[in-house]
Every structure is written in structure tokens, then in C-alpha cells.
Amino acid sequence: MDVASIRLSVFIVVLCICALVEALKPKRPLTQPKGFRWLNNLSLTGFNSVILVITMPLLAVEAALWAEQNQIGLLYWLSVPLPIATALAVIALDCAIYWQHRLFHRIPMLWSLHKVHHADQDIDVTTGARFHPIEIWLSMWIKIGLVFALGVPPVAVIIFEIVLNASAMFNHSNMRLPLSLDRVLRKWLVTPDMHRVHHSTIRQETDSNYGFCLSIWDRMFQSYIDQPKLGHQNMNIGIGVFRKPQEQRIDKMLTQPFRKN
């Protein structure tokens, strides 16, 4: 199997598992028609994949292969053994995604792109794949830059991209985890209850809990909020604009960065 097939297979498996758990043990009642949201969120995901293939001269894995062949990047220059380099690279990339996410909240032009993700008025497994194509495109260039700078091994890129996609679907899912399990997991990993705070309409909560996989970055960089102010059942999801039902259509999502309402 090639890398694309592996990623797609993992995506489908994690999507189905999270969707099943959501259906059996939901955390919150959904406020929007589920089928309509899923159709448009997943259509946007597919559209983004096509855009990347068409517009990018190379993707992160190809950049890593080139860096490996030419021994470009810090880990190659330091001759770090492959197992250690892989572990360090995956952790470093996760930290970089934390800061990328934080910058997309802080810089107005980037927030205009990222708010497409936050405009979802429910949060479930498909929200984890709902991003504007320009944000996905910029994110790929950032990842490629990190691959060249750090000398990220190809296997580390593959592991990271699979873990990132799986983590995003898991921590956006509407599943009800036992509180005791959540407390244990969130010491290291971002859980659905932890990340749900990030999708609150209260801006202080929106600007918190930026992590996607490891939860340590939010604690380390003081952006961690344990629970939403109004509680998980009473909190409002989304942002103040784009709250009409039609704003969940893919054509509306694509134009949201360029509109104020």
C-alpha cells in the first residue's frame, strides 16, 4: 500500500469507530441536521485533498524523501539515529502544529480562514476534518518548511500525519468518555472534553486548548482551560457569525473568510 492508501484507510477506520461511539454514547444532543453537516463537512475534506494534489509541487512526505536523499536538516546534520530522530521529529511537529494553531487564532487574516472550522455549530468527528482549503494549503507549506529545517525522516512524516488526522477526529468527536478515563488520558492526550472547550462561543475559551495530539503544550505554554464555564451540556458551540443553517453548505464555507456575515 502507498502512503495515500494508508492514510485513507486509517481515516475511514477512525471515522467509523468515532461515529459509532458517538451514536452509542453521545456527549451532547446535536442541534443541526447530522446528515446535512456530514455531507458538507466531508465534501469539503475531499475538495481539500484534490486542491492539494493539483496545486502543490510536492507534499510533506515527498519533501522528507528529498531531505533524506540530500541529508538536509538539523537531525541529519547531527547524525541522530533513525529511531530517536523519528520520535523527536514527531514530538517537534506536534509542538509546531500547536503554535501554528495558536497563530491562526491571533493573526486576523489567518483567523478569517480558521473560523470556517469554528463556524460548525455542532462538534463531532467530521468537525476534525473541516478546514478551509487555503488554511490546508498554508499548513502544508509550513509542514514542508519544518521538514527541511529539522531533517524530518519520511517515516516520521507518515506517522505524524496519520496520528494528527486520527487525533483530530477523536478529540472533535461527540463521544461521552467516563470522567475517570478522561482525567487519565488528558494528562498526555487531548480528549474530546478537553478540546470541546476550544469550540465555545466564549472567546477566552476559544483561545485555549490549542493542542491536537499531546496535551502537554497547552499546560506548558499556559493556554489550558480544564472545563467550559457553562459546562459541556450548556455551552454554545461555534462563533458569533455564520449561524444560519445554510452557512453549513460547502459553498458558504468556502466564502466565509471573505464575508463578515
Side-chain angles (χ1 to χ4, degrees):
M1 296 177 70
D2 60 23
V3 174
S5 298
I6 294 172
R7 288 188 60 189
L8 179 60
S9 298
V10 174
F11 175 85
I12 293 172
V13 169
V14 175
L15 176 68
C16 291
I17 292 173
C18 290
L20 179 60
V21 178
E22 285 182 342
L24 296 175
K25 291 185 176 293
K27 181 73 174 186
R28 288 167 46 95
L30 299 179
T31 65
Q32 309 291 313
K34 185 174 181 178
F36 181 73
R37 286 183 53 258
W38 273 52
L39 174 63
N40 285 276
N41 285 354
L42 293 177
S43 294
L44 182 61
T45 303
F47 179 76
N48 288 340
S49 298
V50 172
I51 290 297
L52 279 183
V53 171
I54 292 174
T55 63
M56 294 293 296
L58 76 170
L59 300 178
V61 172
E62 296 164 334
L65 288 169
W66 189 89
E68 180 184 50
Q69 292 167 0
N70 295 275
Q71 295 293 287
I72 299 296
L74 182 63
L75 293 171
Y76 291 120
W77 296 335
L78 296 177
S79 300
V80 179
L82 180 60
I84 298 175
T86 298
L88 290 175
V90 170
I91 294 171
L93 287 171
D94 192 61
C95 183
I97 288 296
Y98 164 89
W99 280 107
Q100 175 189 310
H101 191 182
R102 194 161 177 169
L103 287 175
F104 269 78
H105 276 248
R106 294 298 183 187
I107 300 174
M109 184 170 59
L110 297 179
W111 169 247
S112 69
L113 297 169
H114 187 60
K115 67 184 178 184
V116 173
H117 177 65
H118 281 267
D120 203 343
Q121 294 177 52
D122 282 321
I123 178 172
D124 66 14
V125 61
T126 64
T127 309
R130 169 185 164 140
F131 294 92
H132 195 275
I134 298 178
E135 178 175 358
I136 294 294
W137 191 80
L138 290 174
S139 180
M140 181 58 70
W141 278 113
I142 292 170
K143 197 183 304 178
I144 289 171
L146 290 167
V147 165
F148 286 143
L150 297 176
V152 177
V155 65
V157 174
I158 296 170
I159 292 171
F160 174 72
E161 290 191 332
I162 289 173
V163 169
L164 179 65
N165 290 339
S167 297
M169 287 189 287
F170 167 68
N171 61 46
H172 284 89
S173 61
N174 187 37
M175 65 175 66
R176 180 187 297 275
L177 293 179
L179 295 179
S180 58
L181 178 59
D182 177 83
R183 282 195 296 270
V184 172
L185 286 178
R186 73 162 62 192
K187 290 180 180 179
W188 299 100
L189 301 175
V190 178
T191 66
D193 277 9
M194 177 180 166
H195 191 72
R196 192 175 297 108
V197 177
H198 181 76
H199 284 262
S200 166
T201 55
I202 299 174
R203 189 59 195 253
Q204 181 184 9
E205 295 179 348
T206 306
D207 294 335
S208 71
N209 297 9
Y210 297 104
F212 270 88
C213 181
L214 298 177
S215 63
I216 58 175
W217 311 123
D218 282 296
R219 292 186 177 89
M220 184 181 297
F221 300 118
Q222 300 181 341
S223 56
Y224 176 69
I225 292 180
D226 184 65
Q227 299 293 332
K229 182 179 180 180
L230 299 178
H232 288 282
Q233 297 303 321
N234 296 321
M235 68 182 292
N236 293 313
I237 300 293
I239 53 178
V241 293
F242 308 135
R243 301 196 69 82
K244 296 179 181 179
Q246 62 264 32
E247 290 295 341
Q248 304 306 315
R249 291 199 326 244
I250 185 172
D251 60 320
K252 294 292 186 179
M253 287 189 275
L254 290 172
T255 60
Q256 282 170 0
F258 316 108
R259 296 186 286 116
K260 294 184 178 180
N261 52 53

